Amino acid sequence: MNILIKPIITEKATNDSELYNRYAFVVNKKANKVEIKNAVEKAYGVTIESVRTMNYPVQRNTKYTKSGIVQAMKGAYKKAIVQLAEGENIDFYSNI
């Protein structure tokens, strides 16, 4: 089971990482906080203080167009906010 799916690189997440040393990841929906902590420590070689998780439900929307009703769906996902220890950081752009 692959725990970490991808890092979240948005303006808000980047601001959190610069100011508060918190990083956001999209993780597997069945992963718990201990598994997420171990996966991040193994993947990036950092020390984790805390992990916060959020489950986002499926988002459905309906658009009424000339050609009829168009229905769309955005899948459910789980997001984890990881607080690193003081003095640690993760460089997402080192592989570029």
Side-chain angles (χ1 to χ4, degrees), residues 17 22 25 27 31 37 42 46-48 51 53 67 76 84-85 93:
S17 67
R22 292 189 294 228
F25 295 92
V27 296
K37 178 180 178 181
K42 183 179 175 187
V46 294
T47 307
I48 306 274
V51 177
T53 59
S67 60
L84 299 186
Y93 303 108

Side-chain angles (χ1 to χ4, degrees), residues 74-93:
K74 185 194 261 188
Y77 63 97
K78 185 173 192 174
K79 182 165 86 170
I81 306 291
V82 176
Q83 175 76 43
L84 299 186
E86 195 68 32
E88 304 261 348
N89 66 346
I90 297 175
D91 186 15
F92 292 129
Y93 303 108

Side-chain angles (χ1 to χ4, degrees), residues 4 31-32 52 88 92:
L4 298 176
N32 61 29
R52 284 178 253 156
E88 304 261 348
F92 292 129

Side-chain angles (χ1 to χ4, degrees), residues 1-8 23-40 44 51-56 75-82:
M1 177 167 90
N2 193 8
I3 308 272
L4 298 176
I5 296 173
K6 65 179 179 179
I8 298 174
Y23 295 87
F25 295 92
V26 175
V27 296
N28 190 326
K29 287 189 278 189
K30 295 182 180 179
N32 61 29
K33 291 182 180 185
V34 176
E35 292 172 338
I36 294 167
K37 178 180 178 181
N38 293 335
V40 173
Y44 295 103
V51 177
R52 284 178 253 156
T53 59
M54 293 157 270
N55 285 310
Y56 287 92
Y77 63 97
K78 185 173 192 174
K79 182 165 86 170
I81 306 291
V82 176

Side-chain angles (χ1 to χ4, degrees), residues 53-65:
T53 59
M54 293 157 270
N55 285 310
Y56 287 92
V58 173
Q59 294 179 347
R60 292 182 173 87
N61 63 353
T62 305
K63 297 176 186 173
Y64 299 97
T65 63

